[in-house]
Amino acid sequence: MNASNGFADFAKKFNDFGNQLGDNIKRVFNESQGPRRAGSSSDDVLGLDAEAFREATIAGNDGGELATYVNEKLVCEAGVDFDSRPMLAFYACRLLNPDVVDYDRLLNLIQFRLDDFVESDYTVVLFAASARYNPSIKWLFNAYRRLGRKYKKNLKALYIVHPLKWVQVVMTAMNAILSPKFAKKVKWIDTLSELAQAVPINQINIPPEVYQFNTTKEAQIKVPTHGRPPSRFFGVPLEQLMGAHGEQGLPAPVADALDYLYTNALEVPDLFRRTPPPPTLQKLRNQYEAAGHVSVAYAVWGEHVAAAVLKTWCRELPQPIIPPQYYELIRQLPDPAQHPDQAAVYTRDIVLPALSDPPCVSLLLAALFGLLRAVADHSAINNMTSAKLAAAWAPNFVRSSQPDVDISMCSVTRFSEAPRAKHNSSDDDDDDVLDLSGGASENRPNVVTLARLMIDQYQLIFKPTLEAAEALAKQQAQRVSAPQKPPRTPAAGSPGDLPAHSGPAPAAASDEDIAAVVAELGNARVSDRSPDRAVTAEDITRRLKAEQEAAVRNASNSAPQDKQGNDDNDVIVVGNF
């Protein structure tokens, strides 16, 4: 009986504490609904529309220095998660002194940063530890209110790493009162090992302060390998699936998705920006990997599932579509905004041939970007412009051992590089002064720029690829329809008899042929594919010349065979175009 009374007293006290906490939260929240500081929104600035207010807030009275800090140090892009959703990392340890920095403006700049991502599904990782300056509870409630449905709707997961107890209690109570649905998206993470189970941690630039705090939680960070069993389609080299020259056609996951999306999805809003539940994608993978299964009926699953499968397949290629040795080549792309034709020609004559190693890569890109161009042509209905499509696809094309570089190559940041004030160096570092050393992003073209250009200038860039594919397809059709010629039986002992050869006809312009011609030309470095060496435009020009020389030499060597009609087995098929 006493135990029962003791439990009842405890339950009553806990309930009273919850009611008191809820009342305090409501009181603070209601107070935050009152008059706000000048400059907290465009409504407070008489005569300024939203865009003018944004520009004025970014510039501020420091020439945009705080905006650059938010963009490069406080809220950073972190690649994509395991479901191909963009990730953002927020670092509480980099919050500035509220006595020095206007936190109302800071909140606006955080909103502007999120605006580049909120229209698609996305993930946020908040590192809460080692913060020197903690914003007030009132500011947190104001931020929670300002970051309304627009920012919460497409947020699929909010991982809060190393949370302080009071933050966890306040946010749990706040979510329970204000947004129980949003509370389900919040994941509390105690260690970096636990975070590594949820997102690809190697893509996140984690500050030393966070690592140091993590040592108080665990002695070693354990990162899972996420290994997969042998596959038929996913994670298989492109050359193995398509053939070096595309003679085997597009792989089933690509061909099925393209066919369904072309037919049913060109006007679907936000295509390629929505991710289906992971179990659904796993079911599709299992269907493709099942022995004897060659295609999937996407009518059962829908457009967004087909789009997600297509992106996943591209992302999991063992060799990324854009290898790291070509990053600098892309950085040298002429500015498409000022020189669109020059940029398109550079892409057609330099970038695309560089990426076409093996040649089937160019055929895959022609197929993919043909769909993206068709989707962009319906942007008035589906809201997917070439810029949005490029931002959605770019992270699936790159991968290297330097995640920071990959992220910069896929950055969709719209803040222009702002002028920065020069501070006099002193012996004592002052964290209250913005420190942007080492964080400046180059205002140069990247993969997003390239992808958008390939969509906008599709016909000009891919015309040679499409013409070559069409010519090869016609040549194949003619050879298949031509009557088979009986094999010639040479007279016994006649001069010129060749030894028996049971294997297939040798392939044209092999890697060895090209390497030999390159050596003759004294350009052996063309075949260098080391990631440590950036490929230049001159390398690509020399390689193309070597390929042309090899093709001419091979044609002259095979001319007698053509006269005798023995080349029927030397066939190149370009399918699914």
Side-chain angles (χ1 to χ4, degrees), residues 266 374-386:
L266 296 184
V375 174
D377 287 341
H378 294 78
S379 59
I381 300 174
N382 60 33
N383 192 39
M384 291 304 294
T385 62
S386 60

Side-chain angles (χ1 to χ4, degrees), residues 192-204:
L192 293 181
S193 294
E194 187 179 350
L195 180 65
Q197 298 286 340
V199 298
I201 194 174
N202 61 324
Q203 295 181 186
I204 305 175

Side-chain angles (χ1 to χ4, degrees), residues 328-453:
E328 187 58 31
L329 202 66
I330 296 172
R331 289 291 199 186
Q332 297 174 7
L333 180 74
D335 186 2
Q338 298 181 6
H339 310 286
D341 293 338
Q342 183 180 351
V345 171
Y346 179 88
T347 302
R348 181 193 66 193
D349 296 343
I350 299 297
V351 177
L352 189 58
L355 300 180
S356 302
D357 186 16
C360 57
V361 175
S362 62
L363 301 180
L364 174 65
L365 289 174
L368 289 176
F369 280 92
L371 171 65
L372 299 183
R373 175 56 188 264
V375 174
D377 287 341
H378 294 78
S379 59
I381 300 174
N382 60 33
N383 192 39
M384 291 304 294
T385 62
S386 60
K388 294 178 180 178
L389 289 168
W393 269 93
N396 301 286
F397 292 149
V398 302
R399 184 176 63 256
S400 73
S401 59
Q402 297 178 293
D404 290 349
V405 179
D406 295 341
I407 291 170
S408 70
M409 291 300 295
C410 300
S411 174
V412 297
T413 300
R414 67 185 184 185
F415 290 152
S416 61
E417 189 171 355
R420 295 165 186 169
K422 295 182 179 179
H423 300 288
N424 295 328
S425 58
S426 61
D427 295 336
D428 297 327
D429 294 334
D430 187 357
D431 290 340
D432 296 339
V433 177
L434 302 186
D435 178 17
L436 297 174
S437 59
S441 63
E442 297 179 279
N443 189 19
R444 302 170 63 193
N446 61 7
V447 175
V448 178
T449 314
L450 176 67
R452 182 178 182 181
L453 181 66

Side-chain angles (χ1 to χ4, degrees), residues 41-57:
S41 77
S42 60
D43 296 335
D44 299 327
V45 184
L46 186 61
L48 286 183
D49 59 16
E51 186 62 24
F53 169 73
R54 187 183 74 84
E55 293 177 359
T57 303

